[in-house]
């Protein structure tokens, strides 16, 4: 069993989503779980919707949400042919959930609404990617991660209920692998015992991939980024940054805590606990060693 995670940057344009499909087509392992982030800067855009809603700017919230909706429908239209209609129905269900909420007045705390709204980014992107992969001859099963990963109700920074979630992984997720060796699910999001959506903290999809790796005793996790691998500095700030070919767990935790944004700090512990390697690879040039 191996885990692959595709981040926002790898799903930010139609060409990049196609490239993701090309990478997935080359994965030869028998059992694979793919964890998907929201496309590009969708999470930032959804944060604006949540803020407008909470500040009682209903029209603005609906207008901002409509833009996000149209963007995803346009991408789906470009990528999908045979499965467009069924995917559009799936997306429409997610849209309706949010639109219902936006028509209400806020009566709970901001963080609660944030999670109910922002979680849709990963649901939309994963549904489109799953359908696209099927059309490309990469059979897979789409999973709503909120049926598997349970958290407490500390919205926006929810903590995984490891015992319950592990039970779900064993009893619900593993049996699916027998019929569909490739599962596609969402990073960053989960749900409470009352089926309210939660999020695990910004940039939390790497962490979701690590949580699944731990629970599934995966052989490895590969996260696909827009950089060659882990470098000795952020190349956006220091263009001369160079690749670090390998790091131990302690070193990478240190880097993450001192602010290297390439890996979410919470990601390493679940991997270290089970001695699972993580590869950081470049989706722009998959041949690079990472
Ligand atoms: P995604 O959200 O698509 O998974 P991120 O944007 O979170 O990817 O992470 C990739 C970005 O992290 C790179 O574009 C790079 O600018 C930045 N980065 C910061 N520090 C480092 C580092 N030490 N090595 C590599 N990339 C880094
Ligand atoms: N989409 C979420 C974010 O942008 C989670 C992630 O990409 O890891 O923060
Ligand atoms: Mg990110």
């Amino acid at each position: 069993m191996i885990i692959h995670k595709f981040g926002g940057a790898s799903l930010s344009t139609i060409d990049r989503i196609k490239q993701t499909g090309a990478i997935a087509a080359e994965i030869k392992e028998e059992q694979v779980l793919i964890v998907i982030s929201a496309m590009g800067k969708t999470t930032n855009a959804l944060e604006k919707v949540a803020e407008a809603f909470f500040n009682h700017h209903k029209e603005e919230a609906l207008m901002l949400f409509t833009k996000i909706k149209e963007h995803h429908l346009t991408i789906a239209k470009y990528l999908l042919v045979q499965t467009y209609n069924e995917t559009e129905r799936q997306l429409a269900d997610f849209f309706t959930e949010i639109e219902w909420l936006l028509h209400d007045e806020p009566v709970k705390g901001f963080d609660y609404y944030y999670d109910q709204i922002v979680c849709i980014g990963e649901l939309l992107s994963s549904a489109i990617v799953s359908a696209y992969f099927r059309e490309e001859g990469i059979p897979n099963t789409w999973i709503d991660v909120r049926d598997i990963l349970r958290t407490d109700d500390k919205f926006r920074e929810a903590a995984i209920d490891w015992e319950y979630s592990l039970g779900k992984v064993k009893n619900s997720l593993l049996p699916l692998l027998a019929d569909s060796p490739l599962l596609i699910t969402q990073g960053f999001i989960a749900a409470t015992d009352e089926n309210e959506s939660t999020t695990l903290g910004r940039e939390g999809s790497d962490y979701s991939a690590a949580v699944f790796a731990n629970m599934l005793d995966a052989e490895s996790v590969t996260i696909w980024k827009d950089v060659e691998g882990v470098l000795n500095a952020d190349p956006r700030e220091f263009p001369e940054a160079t690749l670090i070919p390998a790091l131990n767990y302690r070193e990478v935790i240190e880097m993450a805590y001192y602010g290297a944004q390439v890996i979410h700090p919470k990601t390493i512990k679940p991997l270290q606990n089970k001695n699972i390697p993580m590869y950081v690879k470049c989706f722009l040039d998959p041949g690079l060693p990472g």
Side-chain angles (χ1 to χ4, degrees):
M1 169 58 132
I2 58 164
I3 316 283
H4 283 261
K5 179 251 164 176
F6 292 98
S10 67
L11 305 166
S12 61
T13 64
I14 287 163
D15 283 345
R16 286 184 170 191
I17 298 172
K18 288 184 178 169
Q19 170 68 1
T20 299
I23 291 171
E26 290 300 313
I27 301 173
K28 298 289 178 249
E29 278 76 5
E30 227 155 76
Q31 297 189 320
V32 182
L33 174 74
I34 294 187
V35 174
I36 301 277
S37 292
M39 291 174 180
K41 301 283 175 215
T42 303
T43 304
N44 294 358
L46 287 163
E47 284 186 337
K48 298 268 181 294
V49 175
E51 281 160 21
F53 166 75
F54 197 71
N55 293 324
H56 302 277
H57 300 147
K58 187 185 288 188
E59 294 312 317
E60 185 192 344
L62 284 164
M63 186 268 291
L64 291 171
F65 186 65
T66 301
K67 282 195 189 156
I68 296 168
K69 190 169 138 175
E70 283 168 357
H71 178 68
H72 283 83
L73 287 171
T74 304
I75 289 184
K77 219 168 250 163
Y78 267 102
L79 288 171
L80 307 176
V81 184
Q82 307 96 291
T83 61
Y84 179 77
N85 286 339
E86 70 180 85
T87 307
E88 193 204 57
R89 280 194 294 276
Q90 189 184 5
L91 302 184
D93 287 341
F94 298 135
F95 295 145
T96 308
E97 253 179 70
I98 305 295
E99 281 162 347
W100 271 81
L101 184 153
L102 295 180
H103 277 99
D104 271 343
E105 283 298 319
V107 289
K108 296 188 183 188
F110 175 70
D111 292 352
Y112 167 80
Y113 291 111
Y114 178 103
D115 281 3
Q116 309 320 302
I117 293 168
V118 163
C119 72
I120 196 184
E122 271 65 16
L123 293 164
L124 299 174
S125 63
S126 62
I128 294 172
V129 167
S130 167
Y132 174 67
F133 282 14
R134 266 182 277 132
E135 289 206 12
E136 287 299 295
I138 309 167
N140 67 84
T141 300
W142 181 88
I143 312 265
D144 188 332
V145 76
R146 298 172 300 175
D147 297 331
I148 308 288
L149 292 185
R150 176 179 283 184
T151 64
D152 61 13
D153 61 359
K154 196 165 180 296
F155 297 106
R156 289 184 76 179
E157 203 58 63
I160 303 275
D161 176 340
W162 282 81
E163 199 183 321
Y164 180 89
S165 305
L166 183 60
K168 276 286 187 185
V169 163
K170 293 216 160 115
N171 299 325
S172 305
L173 201 68
L174 278 179
L176 289 174
L177 279 166
D179 295 327
S180 171
L182 173 59
L183 305 179
I184 295 189
T185 197
Q186 306 79 37
F188 177 55
I189 72 172
T192 67
D193 57 355
E194 293 183 26
N195 291 324
E196 298 159 312
S197 300
T198 53
T199 63
L200 308 175
R202 283 303 306 264
E203 303 296 339
S205 292
D206 293 349
Y207 176 57
S208 302
V211 168
F212 276 117
N214 179 297
M215 291 180 177
L216 289 160
D217 289 307
E219 281 155 49
S220 66
V221 179
T222 303
I223 57 178
W224 293 91
K225 302 264 179 187
D226 59 359
V227 282
E228 247 183 287
V230 177
L231 309 175
N232 64 354
D234 186 341
R236 276 184 290 213
E237 310 270 350
F238 298 92
E240 68 281 13
T242 54
L243 180 75
I244 305 176
L247 288 159
N248 66 35
Y249 294 112
R250 192 184 46 73
E251 289 165 330
V252 81
I253 289 174
E254 249 172 51
M255 276 187 80
Y257 274 103
Y258 285 111
Q261 275 167 19
V262 67
I263 295 155
H264 191 284
K266 282 200 292 192
T267 307
I268 304 304
K269 205 77 199 149
L271 301 177
Q272 184 177 21
N273 287 348
K274 292 224 168 145
N275 217 23
I276 300 168
M278 180 170 79
Y279 302 99
V280 179
K281 297 265 293 173
C282 183
F283 60 79
L284 300 165
D285 193 349
L288 293 176

